[in-house]
Amino acid sequence: MSEIKSLDDLKSAVGAAAPVKALAPVRVAVRDKLGRAYATGKRKNAVARVWIKPGTGKVIVNGKTMAEYFARPVLQMILRQPFTIAGREDQFDVMATVAGGGLSGQAGAVKHGVSKALQLYEPALRGALKAAGFLTRDSRVVERKKYGKAKARKSFQFSKR
């Protein structure tokens, strides 16, 4: 094997090698026979199963409308964020079942599930959703209580005398 001393030598050496395959996998849309995309979202102790399909922007959570289930406007805003980032407001119907945790965690879980389902339905949206941080599972959960402690880290009052 000869030494490579210039860029031309490098080009000829690389050109002689086998063609390099694309490193990034080509993403294809994943839909079921009803034309829906499914994903699971998680946040704190809440787990949401989310189905999205083309529609008018109707959101059903555990059999109730979004306004009924998530009464606080902040929680409704959290649910709409993935569609806003993707520029797909009122284009998809969402059907979600969510269990565990409180309302805030459940809203975060549905948001995570919607984001994952959107990028499965339309792989071109992955970049925008990933840049916004919606595809990453927020792994922060409540720390468990330890024995000999009042809470997870809080100690009982201490006095030497």
Side-chain angles (χ1 to χ4, degrees):
M1 186 162 198
S2 64
E3 273 190 52
I4 300 173
K5 294 184 178 179
S6 69
L7 286 175
D8 293 328
D9 294 341
L10 181 63
K11 285 179 187 172
S12 63
V14 170
V20 180
K21 289 185 180 177
L23 297 176
V26 177
R27 300 196 181 273
V28 293
V30 180
R31 299 178 193 146
D32 63 8
K33 62 182 179 243
L34 299 174
R36 303 174 303 183
Y38 168 80
T40 305
K42 295 183 179 181
R43 171 83 170 90
K44 293 187 176 180
N45 279 341
V47 181
R49 300 182 305 157
V50 179
W51 291 266
I52 66 164
K53 64 179 181 178
T56 58
K58 187 171 54 174
V59 179
I60 304 293
V61 181
N62 286 357
K64 298 179 181 178
T65 63
M66 176 176 63
E68 273 183 88
Y69 196 83
F70 296 113
R72 284 185 277 167
V74 173
L75 300 179
Q76 294 176 25
M77 181 199 70
I78 287 172
L79 253 67
R80 283 192 286 267
Q81 281 179 334
F83 296 113
T84 306
I85 291 290
R88 299 285 188 273
E89 295 98 338
D90 301 331
Q91 293 183 20
F92 287 97
D93 287 345
V94 177
M95 209 287 282
T97 57
V98 62
L103 281 179
S104 177
Q106 288 184 350
V110 174
K111 170 184 160 183
H112 185 226
V114 164
S115 302
K116 286 171 64 177
L118 260 177
Q119 71 101 24
L120 286 173
Y121 192 90
E122 227 177 300
L125 299 175
R126 181 176 169 81
L129 293 168
K130 192 164 175 65
F134 293 166
L135 297 178
T136 306
R137 192 254 200 252
D138 189 351
S139 60
R140 295 176 296 169
V141 292
V142 177
E143 191 174 345
R144 77 171 192 86
K145 182 196 176 301
K146 279 73 165 192
Y147 62 89
K149 297 278 188 178
K151 295 185 348 188
R153 297 186 181 202
K154 182 181 178 184
S155 297
F156 297 109
Q157 183 174 355
F158 173 78
S159 171
K160 195 156 189 173
R161 296 173 219 196

